[in-house]
Amino acid sequence: MTSSLRLATYNLQKCVGIDMRRRPDRSLQVINALQAEVVVLQEADKRLPPRPAALPHDLIQSHDWTTLDFGQPGGSLGWHGNAMLLRPDISVLGTAGIDLPGLEPRGAIIAELSTKIGYLRVVGVHLGLLRRYRLLQLMAITRELRRRPSMPTIIAGDFNEWGPKTALDAATPGLDFVEGGHSFPAPRPIAALDAFALTADLRATSCGVHRQRPAASASDHLPVWADLIRA
């Protein structure tokens, strides 16, 4: 059988649910239920400097996750609120955080991994609220990817794009979008803000939105997952 790897993306909303309660334990319950091997997170840190982690490091480690280090100081989980969790059988070849253009501070994270489907580059994003800046941010990411050695790559995260992802095609040459379904707002989803973009050497055999309780109350986004194989 062909090996597959499950990757998920989840906007935690700083672990604050729709009941306005900050419950990291509830957020981690949702993450564990995804049965993913790589989880890309957005809004994983609190808003104010020094932006400590909303999802505590010790809680993550107690559930057998590895947190990637993207070099942001002050106890943050990731870079500009983006973070990545791995199961222990995945090896890390390298990581980087890149600043993105826009009116508000934004960044992306890049991890190059050795997995059961081979080498894999994962880019985690939380794009801006205006399409103009989303396009500029994606162009900055694809420029960075062109500078790196060729490797199967997936961009995962909250693209903040309410319409069809074809609107972003001009900024993502060589990548095809995959949407698991409507993920926002969590109680009654009407928009597929959370999605994936894959290079041609990867294929999603299945993907979907995780709706199992307590996902609809743990954040304003539902998590989205995809099972990946080498194409």
Side-chain angles (χ1 to χ4, degrees):
M1 293 180 63
T2 302
S3 292
S4 67
L5 178 137
R6 177 164 290 189
L7 186 146
T9 180
Y10 187 24
N11 186 325
L12 292 177
Q13 198 188 212
K14 305 170 187 66
C15 297
V16 177
I18 60 169
D19 55 4
M20 301 307 294
R21 298 175 63 198
R22 191 184 301 279
R23 289 273 310 276
D25 60 316
R26 178 172 59 184
S27 301
L28 195 58
Q29 181 183 347
V30 175
I31 291 169
N32 288 335
L34 294 167
Q35 299 184 332
E37 291 138 289
V38 180
V39 181
V40 178
L41 301 173
Q42 302 86 48
E43 297 195 31
D45 298 327
K46 296 178 184 178
R47 183 176 298 276
L48 298 177
R51 299 200 67 173
L55 191 62
H57 292 264
D58 56 351
L59 180 62
I60 295 167
Q61 292 166 1
S62 72
H63 286 259
D64 209 25
W65 289 102
T66 298
T67 307
L68 271 65
D69 182 7
F70 292 99
Q72 190 157 311
S76 297
L77 196 60
W79 178 258
H80 287 280
N82 299 291
M84 197 177 302
L85 308 181
L86 306 178
R87 285 305 189 188
D89 57 341
I90 297 176
S91 301
V92 182
L93 307 176
T95 62
I98 58 174
D99 288 308
L100 298 178
L103 287 175
E104 51 192 323
R106 295 277 177 175
I109 54 175
I110 301 176
E112 295 177 347
L113 310 172
S114 178
T115 77
K116 63 184 179 182
I117 64 170
Y119 293 142
L120 178 66
R121 180 181 292 122
V122 181
V123 183
V125 299
H126 186 188
L127 300 184
L129 298 176
L130 299 177
R131 181 177 291 165
R132 174 189 175 190
Y133 292 110
R134 291 196 288 274
L135 292 170
L136 289 172
Q137 289 158 5
L138 286 170
M139 286 189 284
I141 291 166
T142 54
R143 280 196 302 271
E144 174 64 26
L145 294 179
R146 285 194 295 270
R147 287 195 287 265
R148 292 173 174 263
S150 177
M151 183 182 294
T153 297
I154 179 169
I155 302 177
D158 179 356
F159 287 83
N160 259 324
E161 182 64 44
W162 286 73
K165 299 299 182 292
T166 51
L168 305 177
D169 282 351
T172 52
L175 294 128
D176 292 318
F177 280 93
V178 174
E179 297 180 9
H182 293 170
S183 57
F184 181 86
R188 186 172 293 180
I190 59 172
L193 301 188
D194 307 279
F196 310 99
L198 284 62
T199 50
D201 41 17
L202 289 173
R203 183 163 64 89
T205 57
S206 57
C207 57
V209 177
H210 179 79
R211 296 183 171 85
Q212 180 181 323
R213 294 178 65 185
S217 59
S219 170
D220 59 348
H221 287 247
L222 295 172
V224 179
W225 56 269
D227 290 333
L228 305 175
I229 63 170
R230 296 290 290 268

